[in-house]
C-alpha cells in the first residue's frame, strides 16, 4: 500500500515537472528582485530595531516601506503592522482616495466578501453612507475583461477609482495575470487621466515576474499574513503605488497632519524583512503544493479550479466535491496534518459574515495566516473546498499522501 502511494506521488510529480520548472524560474527572478532592493536600500540589522510611542524617525519602518516600493514597482509605500489585515488596508486605500460624490468602478465584479460592508453598509460609516457612488462591471464568463463596457463607462462617468481584484475570492472565476491588465490600464488612462487604478493584490504577489504596478496600476494593496509576509510577518498590510496616491491614502492611514511620520512597533521589524526575503521561495512552495494536490484530485475525477492545466495566477486552488461528507473529510485532513492544533477536529459552524455554515482548517503558526497551508469550505452545494499556502512543499506533500489513502 505504502509503496503504491509513493509510486503514484512520484508519477504525479513527474507529470508536473514543466509546471514546477516554470514556477522555480519565476521564484529565481523574484528572489533577485527582492535581494537587489535589500542591497540597494542598505537594509542593515539596525532596521530590525523596534520603536515606541510616536515612532518618529523609525528607520526600520521607513526602510521597509522603501524596500516594498522598490520590489513592487511603486514610488512610495505604506507597510505596517498597524494595518490589521488586508481588509483594513483595502479600506484605508478607498477612504483615502474617495470623497463624497466621487465614483468607484469595479471592473472585476463584486469585490471580496469582507469589503462589502465598507462599500454598502447602512449607517456604519460605509463609503455609501459618505455619498460615494459605486458601479460594477462583471468579468466575462471566461474571466476576461468586458473591455467595451469598461471603456464606455470610464468615458461616461470618469470614475475617480477603477478597482480590480486579482485573486478570485470565493468565486469560480480565474485569477487575473498582470500581463492581461496592461492594455486595459493604458486605455483607461487615455480615457480618464485623473482615474486612480487600484488592485487588490491579495494572493497574487510573486506568482508571476511582474506585479500590477509594473503595468500601470496606481496602487496595489495586500495582506502581510499572505504571500509577501513569507509566513514570518506576524501581522499587517501593505499599500504600494504612485507617490501622489499614497500621500492621499496616508491622510486616512493616520491623519492629515501626521501621515507617515508616526507609527511605532516595539517588537521590531526583522520578521517583516525576513518574511519578504523568503516570500518568492515560499510562494513557489505553495504553488507547487497546490498543483500536486490539484493533480491528485483531478486524476481521481474531481473538478479542480483552476484546472491543473492552467497556469496559476494566485495561490488559491479549489476542489468541487458535490457532497458534504467528502468536503468535510478534506478540510479535516488539512487540520490533521497541521503543525499547530493538529489534534483538533474542525466541524462545520456558523461564522459571522457568512450565510451558510463554514468548516475551516488553520493549524498555523501565525493566527489565520493563509500563506501557511490552510483550507475552508462553505457548507452549500456544490461543496467546494478552497485551499492555499504551504510554507514547505514537503508539508503539502504529506497532505497529498494522506489524500491517496483516503479518496
Ligand atoms: C484575503 C483577502 C482579502 C482580505 O484580507 P484579510 O487579510 O483576510 O482581511 C481581500 N481580498 C482578497 C482577494 C483576499 O484574498
Amino acid at each position: 500500500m505504502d509503496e503504491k502511494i509513493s509510486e503514484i506521488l512520484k508519477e504525479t510529480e513527474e507529470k508536473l515537472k514543466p509546471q514546477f520548472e516554470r514556477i522555480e524560474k519565476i521564484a529565481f527572478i523574484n528572489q533577485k528582485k527582492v535581494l537587489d532592493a535589500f542591497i540597494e536600500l542598505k537594509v542593515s540589522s539596525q532596521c530590525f530595531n523596534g520603536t515606541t510611542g510616536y515612532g518618529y524617525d523609525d528607520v526600520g519602518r521607513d526602510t521597509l516601506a522603501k524596500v516594498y516600493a522598490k520590489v513592487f514597482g511603486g514610488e512610495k509605500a505604506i507597510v505596517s503592522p498597524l494595518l490589521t489585515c488586508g481588509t483594513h488596508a483595502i479600506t484605508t486605500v478607498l477612504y483615502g482616495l474617495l470623497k463624497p460624490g466621487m465614483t468607484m468602478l469595479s471592473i472585476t465584479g463584486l469585490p471580496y466578501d469582507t469589503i462589502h460592508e465598507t462599500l454598502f453598509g447602512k449607517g456604519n460609516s460605509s463609503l455609501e453612507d459618505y455619498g460615494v457612488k459605486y458601479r460594477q462591471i462583471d468579468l466575462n464568463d471566461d474571466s476576461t475583461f468586458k473591455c467595451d463596457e469598461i471603456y464606455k463607462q470610464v468615458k461616461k462617468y470618469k470614475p475617480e477609482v477603477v478597482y480590480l481584484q486579482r485573486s478570485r475570492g470565493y468565486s469560480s472565476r480565474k485569477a487575473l495575470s498582470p500581463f492581461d491588465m496592461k492594455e486595459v490600464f493604458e486605455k483607461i488612462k487615455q480615457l480618464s487621466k485623473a482615474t486612480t487604478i487600484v488592485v487588490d493584490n491579495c494572493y497574487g504577489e510573486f506568482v508571476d515576474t511582474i506585479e500590477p504596478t509594473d503595468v500601470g496600476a496606481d496602487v496595489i494593496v495586500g495582506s502581510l499574513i499572505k504571500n509577501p509576509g513569507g509566513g514570518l510577518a506576524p501581522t499587517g498590510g501593505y499599500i504600494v503605488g504612485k507617490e501622489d496616491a499614497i500621500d492621499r491614502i496616508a491622510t486616512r492611514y493616520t491623519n492629515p497632519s501626521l501621515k507617515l511620520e508616526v507609527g511605532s512597533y516595539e517588537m521590531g521589524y526583522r520578521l517583516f524583512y525576513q518574511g519578504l526575503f523568503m516570500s518568492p521561495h515560499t510562494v513557489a512552495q505553495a504553488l507547487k503544493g497546490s498543483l500536486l494536490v490539484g493533480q491528485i484530485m483531478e486524476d481521481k475525477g474531481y473538478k479542480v479550479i483552476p484546472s491543473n492545466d492552467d497556469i496559476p495566477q494566485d495561490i488559491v486552488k479549489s476542489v468541487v466535491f458535490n457532497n458534504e461528507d467528502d468536503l468535510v473529510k478534506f478540510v479535516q485532513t488539512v487540520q490533521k496534518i497541521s503543525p499547530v492544533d493538529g489534534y483538533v477536529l474542525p466541524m462545520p459552524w456558523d461564522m459571522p459574515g457568512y450565510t451558510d455554515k463554514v468548516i475551516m482548517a488553520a493549524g498555523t503558526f501565525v493566527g489565520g495566516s493563509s500563506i501557511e497551508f490552510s483550507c475552508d469550505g462553505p457548507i452549500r452545494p456544490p461543496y467546494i473546498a478552497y485551499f492555499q499556502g504551504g510554507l514547505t512543499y514537503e508539508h503539502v506533500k504529506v497532505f497529498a499522501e494522506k489524500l491517496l489513502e483516503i479518496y
Side-chain angles (χ1 to χ4, degrees):
M1 185 66 185
D2 282 358
E3 227 162 85
K4 198 170 161 226
I5 284 175
S6 67
E7 194 56 38
I8 297 171
L9 273 176
K10 210 172 134 195
E11 280 165 20
T12 311
E13 284 178 320
E14 201 58 41
K15 247 188 254 180
L16 292 168
K17 223 170 156 192
Q19 285 262 39
F20 283 12
E21 278 173 9
R22 191 185 48 78
I23 288 165
E24 281 154 18
K25 220 180 271 174
I26 291 170
F28 186 52
I29 290 167
N30 285 325
Q31 187 68 74
K32 282 200 271 193
K33 202 197 284 188
V34 171
L35 187 57
D36 285 349
F38 273 56
I39 295 167
E40 186 182 324
L41 291 159
K42 299 190 166 77
V43 172
S44 69
S45 55
Q46 194 197 346
C47 297
F48 305 156
N49 295 339
T51 59
T52 57
Y54 293 119
Y56 293 136
D57 302 314
D58 185 324
V59 176
R61 176 196 69 208
D62 292 347
T63 307
L64 184 65
K66 283 180 191 151
V67 170
Y68 261 77
K70 177 90 193 156
V71 167
F72 289 119
E75 295 168 358
K76 201 167 178 174
I78 304 171
V79 186
S80 177
L82 308 180
L83 290 168
T84 56
C85 58
T87 301
H88 183 195
I90 293 165
T91 300
T92 304
V93 168
L94 296 176
Y95 280 91
L97 298 175
L98 290 158
K99 297 188 178 73
M102 289 183 172
T103 299
M104 163 177 169
L105 172 64
S106 169
I107 62 169
T108 49
L110 193 62
Y112 193 72
D113 300 52
T114 57
I115 319 296
H116 298 176
E117 287 287 313
T118 303
L119 299 174
F120 322 115
K122 284 261 183 289
N124 67 347
S125 302
S126 68
L127 287 165
E128 188 174 292
D129 269 354
Y130 279 112
V132 170
K133 290 173 215 144
Y134 172 81
R135 310 191 70 84
Q136 174 182 317
I137 300 169
D138 292 336
L139 290 166
N140 288 313
D141 289 340
D142 63 354
S143 305
T144 54
F145 291 111
K146 284 202 169 95
C147 290
D148 291 343
E149 185 60 26
I150 291 170
Y151 303 148
K152 202 174 95 189
Q153 291 208 22
V154 167
K155 204 168 157 189
K156 185 168 174 193
Y157 300 108
K158 305 267 183 214
E160 279 74 12
V161 167
V162 163
Y163 183 89
L164 293 81
Q165 183 182 302
R166 182 169 171 186
S167 178
R168 63 202 177 92
Y170 295 100
S171 79
S172 294
R173 73 155 163 101
K174 286 180 188 160
L176 302 168
S177 161
F179 288 102
D180 295 333
M181 299 175 188
K182 190 166 194 267
E183 194 185 317
V184 180
F185 288 175
E186 278 167 9
K187 185 81 187 186
I188 288 170
K189 289 291 184 175
Q190 277 170 23
L191 293 168
S192 176
K193 218 169 148 250
T195 292
T196 303
I197 299 172
V198 173
V199 180
D200 170 356
N201 205 31
C202 283
Y203 287 139
E205 299 90 353
F206 298 129
V207 169
D208 213 322
T209 54
I210 59 168
E211 302 292 333
T213 14
D214 296 312
V215 292
D218 296 295
V219 175
I220 59 171
V221 50
S223 163
L224 300 191
I225 63 167
K226 293 182 180 175
N227 304 18
L232 293 177
T235 185
Y238 79 89
I239 305 165
V240 171
K242 299 262 163 65
E243 183 166 8
D244 156 70
I246 297 296
D247 284 340
R248 279 184 285 153
I249 293 161
T251 65
R252 276 295 170 277
Y253 162 65
T254 56
N255 96 325
S257 65
L258 301 169
K259 292 188 188 157
L260 301 182
E261 301 299 321
V262 294
S264 65
Y265 190 62
E266 188 174 17
M267 299 294 283
Y269 299 95
R270 179 176 60 83
L271 293 172
F272 299 92
Y273 286 96
Q274 201 171 347
L276 179 63
F277 179 74
M278 290 298 296
S279 178
H281 176 73
T282 309
V283 168
Q285 298 291 293
L287 283 169
K288 286 161 76 172
S290 87
L291 284 166
L292 179 68
V293 172
Q295 194 64 50
I296 283 168
M297 295 313 277
E298 225 170 63
D299 289 349
K300 290 206 173 283
Y302 291 95
K303 185 181 158 85
V304 167
I305 308 170
S307 150
N308 245 48
D309 299 328
D310 288 343
I311 290 178
Q313 302 296 341
D314 65 12
I315 64 165
V316 185
K317 195 97 167 164
S318 49
V319 184
V320 183
F321 285 102
N322 287 316
N323 75 81
E324 179 172 343
D325 286 353
D326 280 350
L327 165 64
V328 168
K329 213 162 57 180
F330 186 89
V331 181
Q332 286 178 340
T333 306
V334 173
Q335 187 75 34
K336 266 187 202 154
I337 53 89
S338 291
V340 182
D341 296 334
Y343 63 93
V344 171
L345 192 69
M347 304 293 276
W349 214 255
D350 290 311
M351 302 279 292
Y354 293 86
T355 35
D356 303 284
K357 281 192 164 71
V358 184
I359 179 164
M360 292 192 174
T364 57
F365 292 95
V366 169
S369 165
S370 47
I371 183 63
E372 297 182 51
F373 192 44
S374 50
C375 180
D376 53 79
I379 306 296
R380 62 167 176 249
Y383 301 101
I384 301 178
Y386 297 82
F387 66 97
Q388 63 276 311
L391 296 183
T392 70
Y393 170 70
E394 290 76 13
H395 179 203
V396 186
K397 192 166 163 180
V398 171
F399 175 69
E401 202 173 55
K402 279 273 179 290
L403 287 181
L404 289 170
E405 288 168 15
I406 295 171
Y407 291 93

